[in-house]
Every structure is written in C-alpha cells, then in structure tokens.
Amino acid sequence: MAVELLAAAETDAVVSVLAESFSDYPVMRYVLGGGATYGRRLLTLIGFFVAARVLRQEPVLGVRDAAGQLAAVAIVTLPRSAPEPLELTSRREVVWTELGAAARGRYEAYGTACSQFAIQEPHHHLNMIGVRPSHAGRGLARVLLEAVEDMVRSDPASAGVSLTTETSWNVSLYQHFGYRMVGRVRVAEDLDSWSFFRERQG
C-alpha cells in the first residue's frame, strides 16, 4: 500500500473520503448539529479544512485501493506553516457565513478547550486522518500514520507529531502506536477530546 502526496486537483476526492469517515464523528456533530442539511454542511466544513492545507501547500496524503480510487487520506500541518493566503481568509468568512454564528462559536469553543494542551515546540500536526468505511480494518490508517512519522524523522526542525481524537476507542489505538496522551478535556456535556504527541524517533 503506497502512500501518495496528492495534488490539489484531487481535493474533491479527499473531501469525499473525509466526509464519509467523519460523518458521525462527535466533534462534527457538536459543531454542526443535526438536521436535514447536515451532510451538505459537513462537506462545507471539511472542504474548508482541506483547502487550508492545499492553499498553504501543506501535505495531503492518500492511499488508493486496487481500483485506483482514494480509500484513505490524511492532512497535515507543517512545523513552519506558511502565512495565511488572502484566499483562505476570505474563504473562511464565506464558510462561517454559510454555517452560521452558532456553529462558529461551537468550533471556536472546541479549539479553545483543546489549545491548553498545544505542543509548544515546532512539530507536525495530524489534522485529520480518515478511511472510507468500506475499507476499514485493512491497516490503511497505520500506513498513513507511518508516512507522517517518516516525514517527522526527515525534518530536523520537527519535535514530533501531535493529534487529537474525540472517540474513546481511539485512545488505546494511538497509545499502541506510540503516542503519549498529553491531556483530556470535556468540551461539552457529550464531547470529550484527547490530545496526543509522539516524539520524533531517530
């Protein structure tokens, strides 16, 4: 299973994989709420997350299935993030105008809650990693995690890789992969977030 550095032209496919993967993810439900428009709103929010990486020319990684279709992806923030392009700034405002002030407030509350565990040293941050449900259980997430860890090892400016999860069953999984829990926070009554860090190896 080869990991590819994906081009901007594949943005729609990346968003599709992540939308499938995060359809019922707790933080997405918390930010966006429910309702008949949830699917469209989810695509809008994830589309913005992916655009932020693409516009900053940061890594978007993918693994394909035997038919050549994207089956799993990961989006990463680099230790030395580029200044925010004007296009991203304007897109952010368009996105939050569409999603509404309440959703923006919940998203910012989530970010504030998690920020207390932010790693201060320059490092890679794994923003999102997702596998299409139809391809779950095939080790694709592990392959992507290893690819991110390889990026860290090749960058002497990076202290390691951080990530967060909002599902309790992921906690032992990341610990198994060598990630150290650096904090847990109750964001809302039905939403907890766990922060992890894995120091650069070698």
Side-chain angles (χ1 to χ4, degrees):
M1 292 178 287
V3 176
E4 300 178 30
L5 185 62
L6 301 175
E10 297 200 74
T11 293
D12 288 348
V14 172
V15 173
S16 173
V17 172
L18 291 175
E20 282 191 31
S21 306
F22 284 83
S23 176
D24 290 317
Y25 198 66
V27 74
M28 299 301 176
R29 291 288 181 181
Y30 166 71
V31 170
L32 298 174
T37 64
Y38 174 77
R40 175 180 57 77
R41 290 158 61 81
L42 179 67
L43 286 171
T44 296
L45 186 57
I46 291 178
F48 174 72
F49 294 153
V50 176
R53 308 281 70 78
V54 171
L55 291 171
R56 284 191 169 110
Q57 299 183 341
E58 294 183 322
V60 179
L61 306 177
V63 178
R64 300 184 190 278
D65 62 18
Q69 301 300 308
L70 275 180
V73 298
I75 56 176
V76 182
T77 295
L78 296 173
R80 298 167 300 277
S81 188
E84 182 169 299
L86 290 177
E87 181 181 348
L88 182 58
T89 303
S90 60
R91 180 164 181 165
R92 175 182 289 107
E93 295 311 310
V94 170
V95 165
W96 289 119
T97 296
E98 177 183 338
L99 298 181
R104 186 172 195 167
R106 290 189 294 268
Y107 177 74
E108 290 175 351
Y110 163 76
T112 298
C114 294
S115 67
Q116 62 185 298
F117 303 119
I119 303 299
Q120 298 305 311
E121 299 172 273
H123 67 284
H124 289 66
H125 179 66
L126 180 57
N127 298 99
M128 299 179 80
I129 181 169
V131 179
R132 290 193 192 275
S134 59
H135 291 71
R138 303 184 189 182
L140 301 185
R142 174 192 283 272
V143 171
L144 285 168
L145 281 172
E146 290 173 350
V148 175
E149 291 155 11
D150 285 344
M151 292 170 56
V152 169
R153 278 191 289 271
S154 66
D155 185 349
S158 179
V161 55
S162 66
L163 58 84
T164 61
T165 186
E166 285 71 47
T167 55
S168 59
W169 52 268
N170 274 343
V171 171
S172 59
L173 177 68
Y174 286 126
Q175 290 174 326
H176 174 74
F177 289 146
Y179 286 78
R180 171 175 55 89
M181 188 193 303
V182 295
R184 175 182 180 179
V185 63
R186 171 61 57 90
V187 179
E189 183 177 351
D190 57 350
L191 179 65
D192 290 313
S193 183
W194 292 262
S195 296
F196 288 89
F197 186 66
R198 188 178 194 271
E199 288 83 2
R200 188 179 70 211
Q201 307 296 305

